[in-house]
Structure formats: C-alpha cells, structure tokens
C-alpha cells in the first residue's frame, strides 16, 4: 500500500486568500497517477491538504483555540464553514480524478475522526481497508474534527498521513509539496538554503519558520514533526516536489526522484 499526500500548495493557490484550485496542476497530477495505474493498479490512499480553501477560514474562526462558552454557536458555525470549504476542494479533486478514470472515493475526516488536544485519538479505518480491497482509491484531507478538549480543531493532511501510516502499515509514504524536500531553512526565502537527501532531526533546521503562506497547521515544520514521529516507529517517508512534471508518476513507479527521506537512520 502507498499513502500519497498531495500538498495544498500544489492543488490550490495557497498564497491567495480566495479559494482557488490550481486546475493545471490538478489535471497534471491526475494524469500522472492514471498513467501509473495503467501500468499496474496499486493499493493507493490519497491525502490532500486544505490549501487556500481551509487555512483562511480556519484562521478567521480561530478553530483550535480555547474560547468562551458564549462563543460556542459562532465557533460551531465557523467549524461548518471550514468543513464545507475543504469539502469543495475535495470535490474538485475527486471530480478531476474520476474524469481521468481513477476510482476515488472521498472519506472526510470530519465524518469519522475525533481528536483530543488537536491530536487524532479515534477513527476507525476499516472502511479504508474495505474500499482498498475493492480497488478504490480512498481520498482523505485536512479537515475540522470534534476535539474532546477544545470542542473543535483543525487536523492537517500531514497529521492524517501520520495516523493512517501508524494504523495501516503502508509500504511507502510519499508527500508531494512545492519544494524539492527539506532544506536547513526555507528555500523560498533563502537562496543559500542547503538541501537534505536524508533528514532525521529537527535540530538540523536553522529556523523553525514553517511556511511562506497562511498555513495554520505548521507548514514544513509541522510536516517534518509528523514524519519524524513515523520515523521513530520505523516508518520511512519521502518528501518530493510534486510541481516537477512526472515526479508523481515516477515515484509511484518506484523510479528515482529527488527528495528528502525522513528516517531516524543515517
Ligand atoms: P503543502 O501545502 O504542500 O503541504 P506547506 O506549504 O505546508 O506544503 O510546506 C511547504 C513550504 O514550506 C514550502 O513552500 C517552503 O516555502 C516552506 N518551508 C519552510 N521551511 C522549509 C524548509 N526548512 N525546507 C523546505 N521548505 C520549507
């Protein structure tokens, strides 16, 4: 089984405060996955980020922060607004994939996952297994979920990846984003950033500045933390650049692609 994440940075215009799908990237990625499936079908789960659909409303409603009881109705409506926005993005994505001939089936986290203190603590994955057995491609994404401590919280696609990988024991975990992998500092703002082929400790980062956009879930640093947790359990993952044409196709075909392997080994 392969768990493939496609970052919100690829599928949306993440710098925008408007909800904008990057239709060109979406189509290209759908065709790359289809080309790989035409060679051989695979057990694949797709996770996608929320990008410009999820982060601006999540920021606006401050979901995941403590609030006064009197604000409950307003927060609840904010929760609904975010859930609806990320669902829209998911619908665009699944529509494109289905048009391409990929049997994608959306399984939103808000409908079966709950959290405690912003960490997923419950979510039965049996349905994922059943859909996989029948040759579907389950699709899940960064979403809002009920939280036992905070009432509501946002969970990133990266946290979802971690939860799925811990519980489903995939052969490979791949994350496509808009940079080649992990650098010692943000390569978008530092020309002298150094690239890591392998990464095994947050201490190797010069700064913990996570992202260049409105990401509320931690950007690259948030991603790395989730993946280091997996690495501690012996589950290796790889971050690649999904903006580079054919990278997703090649990685699905097990061909060599530039990227950063996150593992605790050297
Ligand atoms: P996605 O939406 O694809 O999950 P994010 O926007 O959350 O991706 O994170 C990717 C972004 O993280 C990159 O565009 C980059 O600007 C930023 N970033 C910050 N620090 C680093 C770093 N040390 N190495 C690589 N990218 C970094």
């Amino acid at each position: 089984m392969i768990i493939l994440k496609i970052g919100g940075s690829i599928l949306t215009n993440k710098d925008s405060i408007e909800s904008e799908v990057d239709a060109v990237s979406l189509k290209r990625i759908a065709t790359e996955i289809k080309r790989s499936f035409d060679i051989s079908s695979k057990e694949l789960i797709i996770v996608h980020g929320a990008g410009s659909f999820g982060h601006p409303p999540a920021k606006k409603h401050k979901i995941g922060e403590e609030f006064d009881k009197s604000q409950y109705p307003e927060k609840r409506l904010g929760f609904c607004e975010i859930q609806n926005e990320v669902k829209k993005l998911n619908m665009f994505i699944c529509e494109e994939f289905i048009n391409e001939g990929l049997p994608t089936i959306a399984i939103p986290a808000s409908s079966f996952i709950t959290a405690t203190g912003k960490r997923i603590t419950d979510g039965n994955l049996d349905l994922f297994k059943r859909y996989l057995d029948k040759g579907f491609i389950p699709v899940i994404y960064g979403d809002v979920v009920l939280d036992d401590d905070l009432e509501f919280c946002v969970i990133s696609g990266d946290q979802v990846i971690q939860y799925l990988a811990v519980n489903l024991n995939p052969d490979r975990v791949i994350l496509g984003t808009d940079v080649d992998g992990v650098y010692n500092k943000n390569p978008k703002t530092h020309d002298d950033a150094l690239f890591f082929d392998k990464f095994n400790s947050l201490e190797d980062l010069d700064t913990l500045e996570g992202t260049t956009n409105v990401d509320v879930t931690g950007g690259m640093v948030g991603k790395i933390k989730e993946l280091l947790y997996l690495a501690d359990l012996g589950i290796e993952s790889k971050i690649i650049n999904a903006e580079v044409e054919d990278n997703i196709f090649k990685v699905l075909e097990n061909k060599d692609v530039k990227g950063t392997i996150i593992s605790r080994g050297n």
Side-chain angles (χ1 to χ4, degrees), residues 5-12 14 49-51 55 158 175-189 193-194 196 199 205-213 215 217-224:
K5 181 183 169 211
I6 308 164
S9 62
I10 299 295
L11 298 170
T12 70
K14 218 174 158 184
H55 296 292
D158 298 323
L175 288 87
T177 185
D178 65 346
V179 288
D180 286 348
V182 184
Y183 294 74
N184 66 335
K185 46 193 165 180
N186 189 344
K188 293 229 166 130
T189 48
L194 299 171
F196 293 109
F199 188 85
L205 293 182
D206 277 16
T207 63
L208 290 181
E209 161 205 355
T211 180
T212 39
N213 50 47
D215 200 317
T217 52
M220 185 54 80
V221 173
K223 206 181 301 304
I224 294 168

Side-chain angles (χ1 to χ4, degrees), residues 105-123:
I105 181 83
I107 310 182
S110 47
S111 65
F112 76 103
I113 279 178
T114 54
T116 309
K118 301 191 201 178
R119 301 300 302 172
I120 300 173
T121 38
D122 194 40

Side-chain angles (χ1 to χ4, degrees), residues 162 164-167 169-173 227-237 262-264:
Q162 192 253 80
L164 294 177
V166 167
N167 290 287
N169 200 20
D171 302 300
R172 299 167 69 208
V173 179
L227 301 179
L228 284 174
Y229 178 86
L230 286 183
D232 283 337
L233 301 176
I235 304 170
E236 191 176 279
S237 54
I262 315 284
S263 77
R264 285 295 189 187

